[in-house]
Amino acid sequence: MSDRATVLHVDLDAFYVSMELLRHPELRGAPVVVAGGLGNRGVVNTASYEARKFGVRSAMAVSQARRLCPQAVFLASDYAYYSKASKQFHAILRDFTPLVEPAGSDEAYLDVRGTEHLFGAPEAVAATIKQRVREEIGISASIGVSVNKLVSKVASDAGKPDGLVVVAEGTEAAFFAPRPIRELPMVGRKTAEILGGLGIHTIGDIARTPESALVAKFGRHGADLRTRAFGIYDAPVVSSRGDAKSISRDITFDEDEPDGDRLRAVLRSQAERISHELVKSGKAARTVSLRLRFPPFETLSRSVTPQVTTDLADEIYSHGCALFEKAWDENERRPVRLIGIGVHNIVERARQLRLGETLEADRLQDTVESLRDRFGDLTVRRANELRSPYRHHGPDYIPPFTAPKFDAELPGSAAAEIGHGDGEDWE
Ligand SMILES: [Mg+2]
């Protein structure tokens, strides 16, 4: 074990499903799908490993998941329940080092350099973390250990479920070489297709390809792709303790999404989750931003800073949606790879009633938030969300969800944001 391999990537295995199996042990071994909304516009958050064998994936429409695996048990996401476990998880990590960089509710990067005298070598720390997660939360985690976040991320994925994979310093490129290109976080389906067309199937194939050939295909991202194929990645683990400067939610679609209604529904649910987070912490935001990605790598960000701060889902949604409509029009309404909404310039809430705003509306939002905290996200719905024929399962609601793989952007790109990678990934 080299002394520079001190970066851990810790990732809970099939987090939402694992939490459901804790309270529904009779479902162990069955294909289980946890989705935000069970109607046709719902989106899969997490599929059990059994369901994944049928091709069910995170970010997939529930209707498609039902076609692929009709025998699966479909459960509605209970974010309040998962959120408690997520807090416990991050608290366990902070017992080992203050250098913890959360990458969503169920994963984080740690740099444990300098803690050997307390907890032993990084591999021993990793084993202890796995044991504590198992004992205190009741589910399994997978951990990768290496010299940087990129290699540790790939290593933890490689070990799933319940894995511990150590990549010693100096062996990064060799570890990557035989692995399929899709395991590299910046390679999505489309990029993989293009690379496949060039006869490039493993990460080692990328490393062997002249940089000029990759640049010709992918522009400057081609050079990054090649550097990373050697396991080289510089961004350090950045602790994000303290107040968040921004909160964002985004989702990467497995198939590029052409449907405007679905995209708007995703924005709506992202706005609801962000509002929930703001209200809970007594904060409001000045700036609302939108991110859109078109395949394979072209990403744009837009933002707007209205006159007044907001913590209301309706306002965050309407600003985000306005940014979306404009940006989407400007891009010929092409299918979208990633969509996300965020808020920035977060301040303490000192909201005064605005012209035309009633106190009732304000109280209503607070009431909604407290009901959601007590009973979970499915408790309170807008009437117009209750159209689904599946309403006895919960309304036709698309939940917030974040990138299964961080495509084009590598770990830590949104280091200071709560909720980057908020959703589940498909390990
Ligand atoms: Mg996970």
Side-chain angles (χ1 to χ4, degrees):
M1 177 87 221
S2 130
D3 54 354
R4 283 187 50 214
T6 58
V7 175
L8 276 58
H9 178 252
V10 187
D11 193 359
L12 300 174
D13 299 323
F15 178 37
Y16 292 0
V17 166
S18 302
M19 292 305 296
E20 293 299 342
L21 292 180
L22 270 185
R23 57 183 179 182
H24 298 291
E26 71 280 6
L27 295 179
R28 277 188 200 283
V32 175
V33 176
V34 176
L38 299 176
N40 286 333
R41 300 199 72 80
V43 174
V44 174
N45 280 343
T46 312
S48 70
Y49 293 97
E50 290 80 4
R52 291 175 206 197
K53 286 183 193 140
F54 294 86
V56 180
R57 294 284 180 266
S58 296
M60 181 178 274
V62 165
S63 50
Q64 191 187 354
R66 285 188 196 278
R67 276 196 299 279
L68 289 169
C69 191
Q71 70 273 44
V73 177
F74 285 78
L75 301 171
S77 294
D78 176 355
Y79 300 114
Y81 171 56
Y82 314 139
S83 157
K84 272 185 206 128
S86 170
K87 282 197 187 102
Q88 248 180 308
F89 168 62
H90 290 284
I92 290 171
L93 302 180
R94 286 193 302 269
D95 281 348
F96 294 88
T97 172
L99 261 183
V100 177
E101 179 180 323
S105 62
D106 72 326
E107 58 182 290
Y109 298 92
L110 280 70
D111 193 334
V112 297
R113 75 190 125 104
T115 67
E116 292 83 353
H117 59 292
L118 290 171
F119 306 111
E123 189 174 356
V125 175
T128 311
I129 289 173
K130 280 169 62 70
Q131 189 186 347
R132 283 196 54 189
V133 169
R134 167 74 68 194
E135 287 171 3
E136 294 170 33
I137 306 177
I139 66 177
S140 68
S142 292
I143 304 185
V145 184
S146 80
V147 294
N148 65 43
K149 294 195 287 189
L150 172 66
V151 176
S152 295
K153 165 78 182 166
V154 174
S156 72
D157 282 347
K160 278 190 172 291
D162 204 13
L164 170 48
V165 174
V166 180
V167 182
E169 182 179 9
T171 67
E172 297 83 11
F175 169 69
F176 271 7
R179 316 201 69 84
I181 47 179
R182 280 302 299 270
E183 293 190 19
L184 206 55
M186 70 190 298
V187 177
R189 207 172 56 92
K190 200 85 176 188
T191 308
E193 266 172 37
I194 299 171
L195 289 168
L198 298 171
I200 296 172
H201 303 287
T202 64
I203 304 179
D205 292 340
I206 300 176
R208 279 187 292 275
T209 304
E211 186 181 298
S212 55
L214 295 168
V215 170
K217 273 283 179 212
F218 301 109
R220 64 190 169 82
H221 296 294
D224 286 349
L225 190 59
R226 188 160 181 280
T227 308
R228 286 163 194 186
F230 289 95
I232 297 168
Y233 186 71
D234 291 334
V237 176
V238 179
S239 151
S240 54
R241 296 200 68 179
D243 285 349
K245 299 274 190 296
S246 63
I247 301 173
S248 63
R249 294 286 183 271
D250 53 46
I251 177 172
T252 300
F253 298 105
D254 198 41
E255 304 274 345
D256 300 326
E257 181 57 61
D259 179 351
D261 284 341
R262 175 130 187 258
L263 293 166
R264 286 177 207 103
V266 168
L267 284 177
R268 167 95 238 168
S269 72
Q270 290 171 337
E272 300 258 357
R273 292 292 307 284
I274 289 170
S275 165
H276 182 71
E277 194 114 2
L278 285 170
V279 170
K280 224 167 46 182
S281 53
K283 302 275 166 65
R286 273 187 208 294
T287 301
V288 176
S289 71
L290 171 87
R291 286 176 71 216
L292 274 184
R293 180 172 303 141
F294 301 100
F297 293 125
E298 191 191 332
T299 305
L300 58 87
S301 299
R302 297 283 162 81
S303 66
V304 59
T305 301
Q307 296 281 328
V308 286
T309 64
T310 185
D311 59 359
L312 297 173
D314 283 342
E315 292 186 352
I316 295 167
Y317 170 71
S318 67
H319 289 306
C321 203
L323 293 168
F324 164 70
E325 299 295 351
K326 187 157 186 294
W328 203 35
D329 278 346
E330 287 167 10
N331 284 274
E332 293 98 40
R333 304 171 80 81
R334 283 147 64 203
V336 168
R337 162 69 58 85
L338 170 151
I339 189 165
I341 192 166
V343 294
H344 314 265
N345 294 325
I346 294 174
V347 295
E348 293 298 324
R349 177 165 57 162
R351 210 149 60 73
Q352 298 196 330
L353 285 184
R354 279 171 245 157
L355 212 58
E357 186 183 14
T358 67
L359 198 58
E360 283 69 24
D362 209 32
R363 282 211 197 100
L364 178 62
Q365 172 114 6
D366 284 347
T367 307
V368 167
E369 293 304 335
S370 73
L371 284 171
R372 282 190 175 154
D373 271 348
R374 283 169 60 201
F375 303 112
D377 272 8
L378 290 175
T379 314
V380 182
R381 295 288 172 199
R382 287 187 167 66
N384 66 7
E385 290 176 339
L386 296 173
R387 284 169 307 194
S388 159
Y390 298 92
R391 71 188 280 184
H392 56 287
H393 290 302
D396 204 1
Y397 177 70
I398 296 184
F401 175 79
T402 308
K405 301 218 171 195
F406 30 95
D407 204 292
E409 276 178 355
L410 283 152
S413 55
E417 300 183 358
I418 297 179
H420 177 68
D422 160 73
E424 263 291 295
D425 47 29
W426 40 305
E427 302 101 346

